[in-house]
Amino acid sequence: MILKNFIVFEGIDGAGTTTQASLLKNNPATGKFLFTAEPTKSETGLFLRRMLSGEVKVSNETAAYLFAADRNEHVNGPLVIENDRQLVTGLVKAQEEGYITVSDRYLFSSLAYQSINCDPRIPETLNQFFPLPRLLIFLDIEPSKALERMSGRSSREIYEKEDFLIKTTASYRRVIQEFSRPEKADGMEVMVLDATKTPEEIHRTVWNKICGIYPELKLAEK
């Protein structure tokens, strides 16, 4: 199943997914878009953010279940929109209301990250029934470059370590390659971009692609 008004940015930590979502949000032609992220700002998502910070420790298997639980609320929960077009939960209901929603991360992150230190069949099973986005944008970057970008951060999450990022990059690329196959994509379009280009260059490429899918946005831009 495809959510026709759903766009997802994916990439390892430091790839620039949050930057690209922000650039879209600041584009005047996206005034009717909603923006969201995983983990969400729901109670499950807030707990996951504590886990990612290292404050709370859980097993790798438990983390996979928690990410899936948060995603279920994100997709199937009630429509909750905060100030400044921030979707908390209710992706399906947002679609029914005619919103185009952009997410910083989605199920592809779980397939990449949670398959590193636990049986990959667990995240695969937990995520197999979630709908796919209309457009998946993967920002591809080498771990060394991503770590350079993160060097100025005051704190790091538990996954932001070189050895883990190397494994995650390989895992992510396998996932993206798998979902690029027509029989797996099921109508989803996959776009792989060089994340070392400037944010502005990437945004222009992304915006042109989005306008190709939703031509009315190009008219709204003029």
Side-chain angles (χ1 to χ4, degrees):
M1 175 184 173
I2 294 285
L3 295 182
K4 65 178 182 178
N5 289 336
F6 185 32
I7 300 166
V8 171
F9 284 106
E10 290 281 3
I12 63 170
D13 297 275
T17 59
T18 303
T19 297
Q20 288 305 313
S22 296
L23 287 170
L24 270 182
K25 192 173 187 178
N26 292 332
N27 186 324
T30 64
K32 293 185 178 179
F33 281 38
L34 295 178
F35 293 85
T36 189
E38 292 190 355
T40 68
K41 290 188 175 181
S42 70
E43 290 301 317
T44 312
L46 293 175
F47 180 84
L48 277 168
R49 291 186 184 279
R50 291 174 61 201
M51 183 206 78
L52 289 170
S53 72
E55 179 185 348
V56 178
K57 297 187 184 302
V58 301
S59 73
N60 298 310
E61 292 76 14
T62 297
Y65 280 96
L66 286 169
F67 275 105
D70 184 50
R71 184 163 299 118
N72 189 64
E73 284 302 299
H74 196 199
V75 173
N76 299 312
L79 182 58
V80 178
I81 303 172
E82 291 186 340
N83 293 334
D84 201 23
R85 300 179 288 152
Q86 185 71 32
L87 177 80
V88 179
T89 58
L91 269 168
V92 170
K93 288 184 170 56
Q95 298 283 302
E96 294 170 355
E97 295 290 331
Y99 289 106
I100 295 175
T101 305
V102 176
S103 185
D104 181 357
R105 300 277 182 84
Y106 188 51
L107 65 86
F108 312 97
S109 293
S110 283
L111 296 176
Y113 279 80
Q114 267 65 64
S115 64
I116 301 298
N117 291 322
C118 76
D119 188 330
R121 291 175 297 180
I122 295 175
E124 287 171 7
T125 300
L126 291 171
N127 288 283
Q128 64 181 321
F129 297 115
F130 288 118
L132 296 175
R134 170 64 179 81
L135 177 63
L136 165 60
I137 302 165
F138 177 60
L139 301 180
D140 195 16
I141 192 170
E142 292 300 326
S144 58
K145 294 289 185 183
L147 286 165
E148 283 178 19
R149 290 181 174 182
M150 294 187 287
S151 61
R153 295 183 183 180
S154 57
S155 61
R156 294 278 188 92
E157 293 185 346
I158 58 173
Y159 297 145
E160 294 175 356
K161 298 174 182 176
E162 184 174 12
D163 59 340
F164 192 86
L165 283 181
I166 290 171
K167 294 176 183 176
T168 306
T169 300
S171 180
Y172 241 137
R173 287 169 176 167
R174 284 195 300 271
V175 169
I176 298 303
Q177 184 175 30
E178 180 182 358
F179 277 93
S180 295
R181 294 189 288 111
E183 63 272 21
K184 187 73 172 181
D186 195 29
M188 174 182 69
E189 190 165 356
V190 179
M191 188 179 191
V192 179
L193 298 178
D194 179 359
T196 63
K197 292 185 176 180
T198 68
E200 292 74 21
E201 284 181 291
I202 295 170
H203 174 67
R204 282 195 297 272
T205 302
V206 167
W207 182 239
N208 286 335
K209 172 59 73 174
I210 291 174
C211 287
I213 296 172
Y214 310 104
E216 67 273 15
L217 295 174
K218 202 66 178 176
L219 297 174
E221 190 180 29
K222 294 179 180 179

